[in-house]
Amino acid sequence: MTTTHNLGFPRIGAKRELKFALESYWKGQSSRDELKALGAQLRQCHWENQSGLDLVPVGDFAFYDQMLDMSFTLGNLPERVRGFQGDPLDNYFRVARGRSAQNAEAHAACCGGGVAAGEMTKWFDTNYHYIVPEFTASTTFKLDATRLLDQLAEARAQGVKAKPVIIGPVTYLALGKAKDQTRGDADKLALLERLLPVYAELLDTLAAQGVEWVQIDEPILVTELDADWKHAFNTAYHQLKASKVKLLLATYFGQLQENQHLAANLPVAGLHIDAINGRDDVQPLLNLLPSHKVLSLGVINGRNIWKTDLAAVLDWVEPLADRLGERLWIAPSCSLLHVPVDLDSEVKLDADVKSWLAYALQKLDELKVLAAALNNGRASVKAELEANQAAIAARRTSPRVNNPVVKAAVATLDAALGQRQSVYGQRSPKQAALLKLPAYPTTTIGSFPQTSDIRHARSEYKAGRLDEAGYQAAMKAEIERSVREQEALDLDVLVHGEAERNDMVEYFGEQLDGYAFSQFGWVQSYGSRCVKPPILFGDISRPKAMTVEWIKYAASLTKRPMKGMLTGPVTILNWSFVRDDQPRSVSCYQLALAIREEVLDLEKAGIRVIQIDEAALREGLPLRKAQWQTYLDWAVESFRIAANGVEDETQIHTHMCYSEFNDIIQSIADMDADVITIETSRSDMELLDAFENFQYPNEIGPGVYDIHSPNIPTQGHIEQLMKKAAERVPAERLWVNPDCGLKTRQWPEVIPALTNMVAAAKALRQAA
Ligand code: GLN
Ligand code: ZN
């Protein structure tokens, strides 16, 4: 018999119930008890949803984040929140979200005043963000198993076959940050000795409750580990092997590769691997794995929304089941946290596309069909398998998916497409002659405040209460407003302000063929925040121009250069659910060709500065460094295809929302944008070092205004930042601009901030 299990379930709720409950609690509109009750209700519902499985995860539910839960379980609270007197849940939210100094006084008596939030960062290569555990040399750990035991008791009361889920000690340390770091990773590794007894106590506590299996997540095993970390794995699991529970060591998101031997030989009772991304690990593991161990294969993709080709999985897994017998388990590849909950909620989704999809609940159904086929023969689930085959075949051959013209265009791509007519040194004087910009030219990153008027007009339009003409007029009024404001501010290169865009990816996806949009395809990004990635299902083409009319209108309102604004192919790709039937690179090239057409249409319409945002380029980097270059090669080539068809006089800008470029600077230079704007204000320009050391040849706009903060930067501060920038990059290649778009700010913040920014640029010109 093959055992079925699940690694984790999305906790946000099919209709984002947890999001709304959290936000209402944070606003003081509902009580802590109400929030806790909602949590219990969601857990109950999610366990019911998983009821047909042999083992169901418990402890995967978190009010904010599973890593933060683990920090509380291990008693690893940052010093600044220790000694808090109130309810632990409130302390938990203080670490998660911080408390501002403004509110601090009002709260000084009840909860100790202002406190900085824990740092948040991306969970491996997903779009989920966790709260980074903090360590110092004096960090100690102390078990608090309350949350886990409470949830276990709830699950048991409901008759759930519970498998508690925890983050393993090595991953926990590896993903944390040594706050008083002096010796790098050594500081963190030194804590292992203190950490392990707490893990041992936790496992004993669970054993005392009669728990048989515990899932212990060590996804760090799919990354490149140096000898110290490998050693830590051995130390940790040899120490934990005395425990009476059986450990299922869970890895996911990638391949074990050179860590296969290590993972196979740790003294645990079972190993789970991601058999979607790490399928090549399976054969070697069959030989490496000691014969008493369970091998759990993640055969259903927990990262995308496509139906599984069940027959193909069975063809592959049936022989393994014969060989492994009881030792074979099957599961989704990773926690289902990264997919939406229930496809049945989607009533508006295109019927064809819908028939090709599976959300979390449907993925669990697939798992059950696979188990039935393995345990009782394919005939026992004949109808299910036939329906699955029909959907898979329909998708494969659908004309909605396959566009021969697009396929041919990608098949015949050649490097010349990505090549500018001349090198930067030759085109830059031509651009200067055309644009006639001053030294330290000023610009913004694209969006201006999305006011409530704009949002209201859009929702009325979507609801059919505002007609097309009315909507156009409202957006044009906003564009005009932002152009007038920019002229009054005396900015040099203007933007239209992106009023008509709900979101920088969705806006383009909606206009491209090959994209679909869900209503309930929400995935947790962090805390109560969710994203609803558009679904790239078919070959991408652009039926008509997407931005030209708006930009032309904006340009008609001013004599100053108007910057056309587009989202780049890599960012569109990285922020979408993408196809699993062709390589990501192919989808990216298709997007690049569509954006290229838009760039050329803008140029034809007289727009001579065009920005192509690649906010998410870095996010797409593979987990393993060894695979970075391959990704960067096609990502950069895609950008070049999109951007570089223009004449020398047309100035290409790109924008990236971060400032770590050290390790990818060659690729950034290869993109060959005339101007790159980046986020630097919070790093005090030090991160420009990467550009300095590399002698980056083109122009740079290091952000001087932190748009995430409501604070208004002073002229003096901006001048100081620019002077630091000029120590690293020749002044004639510097631009002055904010860190990112201004859509989340209010006009009364934007005007004084940009006033100071323009004044700073003018002062720098004077001084030069
Ligand atoms: N042009 C976009 C804007 O200004 C860029 C946003 C981003 O980089 N995240 O909103
Ligand atoms: Zn940005």
Side-chain angles (χ1 to χ4, degrees):
M1 289 289 276
T2 300
T3 296
T4 54
H5 72 116
N6 186 23
L7 279 74
F9 194 85
R11 51 225 179 200
I12 205 76
K15 301 274 158 74
R16 288 181 294 158
E17 293 86 343
L18 181 59
K19 170 194 177 67
F20 300 116
L22 283 168
E23 290 172 1
S24 146
Y25 175 64
W26 293 335
K27 281 188 211 138
Q29 290 164 352
S30 57
S31 71
R32 192 184 307 123
D33 286 345
E34 282 171 295
L35 177 62
K36 287 183 177 171
L38 185 274
Q41 200 183 317
L42 283 174
R43 288 192 290 272
Q44 182 182 0
C45 164
H46 298 161
W47 286 325
E48 268 165 30
N49 290 154
Q50 300 172 83
S51 59
L53 304 179
D54 297 319
L55 286 169
V56 172
V58 167
D60 55 332
F61 179 90
F63 274 114
Y64 201 95
D65 164 44
Q66 71 264 16
M67 276 295 269
L68 186 57
D69 276 2
M70 202 63 211
S71 288
F72 273 70
T73 300
L74 298 169
N76 179 30
L77 312 196
E79 194 57 43
R80 62 187 181 282
V81 303
R82 287 183 187 237
F84 174 77
Q85 298 298 319
D87 188 277
L89 186 61
D90 288 335
N91 208 22
Y92 173 87
F93 289 138
R94 289 167 83 226
V95 185
R97 310 175 64 228
R99 184 181 284 287
S100 76
Q102 276 144 4
N103 284 337
E105 277 177 35
H107 289 270
C110 61
C111 56
V115 58
E119 193 181 316
M120 195 167 66
T121 198
K122 265 165 72 77
W123 177 244
F124 295 85
D125 60 350
T126 73
N127 199 5
Y128 178 80
H129 299 73
Y130 68 94
I131 304 286
V132 179
E134 297 176 26
F135 305 118
T136 66
S138 57
T139 294
T140 53
F141 303 95
K142 184 174 183 307
L143 182 64
D144 177 358
T146 332
R147 170 190 59 90
L148 211 48
L149 293 179
D150 287 353
Q151 291 185 22
L152 185 61
E154 271 174 39
R156 291 247 173 98
Q158 203 183 315
V160 171
K161 289 165 271 180
K163 175 192 58 174
V165 178
I166 58 176
I167 310 278
V170 186
T171 294
Y172 181 77
L173 282 181
L175 297 188
K177 191 164 171 179
K179 284 287 172 178
D180 51 4
Q181 198 164 36
T182 49
R183 297 175 302 138
D185 281 357
D187 288 336
K188 293 198 284 181
L189 284 165
L191 296 174
L192 187 63
E193 212 177 306
R194 279 180 229 165
L195 182 59
L196 291 175
V198 179
Y199 269 89
E201 192 186 344
L202 173 59
L203 297 180
D204 287 345
T205 308
L206 293 171
Q209 296 294 315
V211 165
E212 186 188 2
W213 282 95
V214 172
Q215 174 187 321
I216 189 157
D217 288 3
E218 292 283 14
I220 202 79
L221 274 166
V222 305
T223 66
E224 287 130 338
L225 298 171
D226 61 31
D228 286 348
W229 287 97
K230 288 187 184 159
H231 183 67
F233 266 106
N234 278 313
T235 312
Y237 286 87
H238 278 93
Q239 196 160 331
L240 297 181
K241 95 180 158 192
S243 134
K244 292 199 180 61
V245 292
K246 294 181 185 162
L247 293 179
L248 178 73
L249 185 80
T251 68
Y252 39 80
F253 298 150
Q255 306 120 26
L256 291 170
Q257 291 185 9
E258 74 286 358
N259 298 328
Q260 284 165 359
H261 194 272
L262 174 66
N265 289 299
L266 291 171
V268 292
L271 174 66
H272 170 86
I273 64 159
D274 177 336
I276 303 289
N277 291 302
R279 184 151 163 180
D280 292 346
D281 288 331
V282 175
Q283 276 308 325
L285 279 173
L286 289 175
N287 300 324
L288 287 170
L289 211 63
S291 62
H292 63 276
K293 280 195 191 179
V294 160
L295 179 61
S296 165
L297 295 181
V299 291
I300 288 181
N301 198 326
R303 295 284 295 277
N304 75 15
I305 41 144
W306 302 106
K307 270 191 179 146
T308 308
D309 183 343
L310 297 177
V313 172
L314 286 171
D315 290 345
W316 176 59
V317 175
E318 277 165 349
L320 300 178
D322 288 343
R323 175 160 171 187
L324 292 166
E326 298 276 322
R327 291 168 53 214
L328 177 68
W329 291 16
I330 56 172
S333 58
C334 58
S335 166
L336 296 174
L337 180 66
H338 311 288
V339 293
V341 180
D342 187 5
L343 185 65
D344 290 343
S345 312
E346 303 286 357
V347 289
K348 292 195 185 154
L349 195 62
D350 175 283
D352 280 345
V353 175
K354 186 174 169 181
S355 72
W356 304 331
L357 302 182
Y359 289 2
L361 291 181
Q362 289 70 37
K363 284 174 185 285
L364 293 177
D365 287 341
E366 293 182 338
L367 190 65
K368 288 179 225 166
V369 173
L370 287 175
L374 291 172
N375 292 332
N376 311 314
R378 295 196 197 195
S380 69
V381 277
K382 188 161 177 279
E384 288 86 345
L385 290 176
E386 279 171 6
N388 177 264
Q389 272 320 284
I392 299 293
R395 179 180 163 210
R396 192 172 295 139
T397 53
S398 167
R400 310 270 313 278
V401 174
N402 300 290
N403 179 336
V405 178
V406 177
K407 286 200 194 319
V410 170
T412 56
L413 282 180
D414 83 75
L417 267 189
Q419 200 72 47
R420 288 291 294 254
Q421 289 170 355
S422 315
V423 294
Y424 169 78
Q426 284 169 24
R427 37 186 220 261
S428 120
K430 295 188 196 173
Q431 292 167 14
L434 182 77
L435 296 170
K436 300 192 178 58
L437 297 171
Y440 291 105
T442 54
T443 191
T444 60
I445 304 305
S447 56
F448 275 106
Q450 283 268 329
T451 60
S452 49
D453 282 356
I454 298 177
R455 284 200 297 268
H456 181 70
R458 185 157 29 251
S459 65
E460 291 292 290
Y461 173 56
K462 287 213 160 150
R465 289 188 293 268
L466 180 64
D467 64 11
E468 178 72 32
Y471 179 67
Q472 294 263 341
M475 292 304 115
K476 283 188 167 173
E478 283 297 335
I479 290 173
E480 174 157 15
R481 173 189 186 175
S482 73
V483 173
R484 295 292 161 248
E485 295 287 8
Q486 292 173 83
E487 287 193 319
L489 286 160
D490 205 13
L491 285 155
D492 299 307
V493 173
L494 310 195
V495 297
H496 79 298
E498 301 181 29
E500 80 290 4
R501 301 186 190 175
N502 34 359
D503 172 277
M504 64 188 282
V505 169
E506 192 168 274
Y507 180 78
F508 291 92
E510 276 173 351
Q511 302 186 70
L512 291 168
D513 281 351
Y515 258 106
F517 292 83
S518 66
Q519 267 177 294
F520 297 101
W522 295 102
V523 181
Q524 191 174 17
S525 172
Y526 65 90
S528 67
R529 292 290 201 100
C530 301
V531 293
K532 187 155 63 72
I535 301 167
L536 192 168
F537 69 87
D539 290 333
I540 294 293
S541 62
R542 188 195 70 143
K544 57 180 198 315
M546 304 181 281
T547 65
V548 175
E549 285 310 312
W550 296 114
I551 308 288
K552 248 167 62 179
Y553 172 71
S556 75
L557 299 172
T558 181
K559 291 203 171 60
R560 297 175 193 233
M562 177 60 61
K563 183 160 64 166
M565 194 60 57
L566 302 172
T567 303
V570 187
T571 297
I572 298 182
L573 183 88
N574 284 343
W575 284 347
S576 301
F577 278 120
V578 297
R579 298 170 63 168
D580 59 350
D581 57 349
Q582 67 186 18
R584 293 172 74 82
S585 56
V586 173
S587 297
C588 201
Y589 288 136
Q590 294 185 356
L591 287 163
L593 288 170
I595 300 295
R596 178 185 177 91
E597 291 174 15
E598 189 73 13
V599 168
L600 295 178
D601 278 352
L602 282 169
E603 185 183 52
K604 233 180 276 159
I607 304 300
R608 305 313 294 263
V609 184
I610 300 170
Q611 178 173 315
I612 305 170
D613 290 327
E614 284 294 16
L617 187 122
R618 204 186 157 90
E619 279 181 28
L621 284 172
L623 287 173
R624 285 176 170 273
K625 286 224 168 178
Q627 295 162 3
W628 279 23
Q629 201 52 50
T630 309
Y631 163 77
L632 287 168
D633 287 348
W634 59 253
V636 168
E637 187 57 19
S638 298
F639 179 87
R640 290 169 58 100
I641 290 168
N644 289 352
V646 295
E647 292 169 0
D648 282 350
E649 286 76 6
T650 300
Q651 189 171 67
I652 296 290
H653 289 220
T654 188
H655 165 71
M656 296 184 190
C657 299
Y658 41 81
S659 45
E660 319 104 79
F661 290 100
N662 254 321
D663 43 5
I664 56 169
I665 188 76
Q666 178 66 57
S667 299
I668 299 298
D670 290 343
M671 288 167 70
D672 199 20
D674 297 299
V675 182
I676 179 171
T677 57
I678 57 174
E679 174 183 321
T680 29
S681 71
R682 280 180 292 186
S683 75
D684 216 25
M685 299 288 152
E686 271 159 29
L687 290 153
L688 277 182
D689 290 354
F691 290 86
E692 182 188 11
N693 297 335
F694 184 78
Q695 301 194 319
Y696 181 80
N698 303 6
E699 292 158 59
I700 311 176
V704 288
Y705 156 23
D706 175 10
I707 60 93
H708 301 98
S709 148
N711 298 338
I712 311 291
T714 63
Q715 180 186 330
H717 183 64
I718 294 173
E719 279 181 53
Q720 257 173 31
L721 286 175
M722 287 306 301
K723 282 180 190 148
K724 284 191 184 162
E727 287 163 13
R728 295 172 163 88
V729 175
E732 59 279 11
R733 285 198 261 120
L734 284 173
W735 286 63
V736 183
N737 48 262
D739 267 347
C740 194
L742 298 163
K743 69 174 167 217
T744 57
R745 301 258 63 92
Q746 312 280 319
W747 279 107
E749 297 161 347
V750 164
I751 302 271
L754 292 180
T755 302
N756 293 347
M757 189 185 91
V758 173
K762 288 180 179 170
L764 292 164
R765 285 170 206 159
Q766 292 257 297

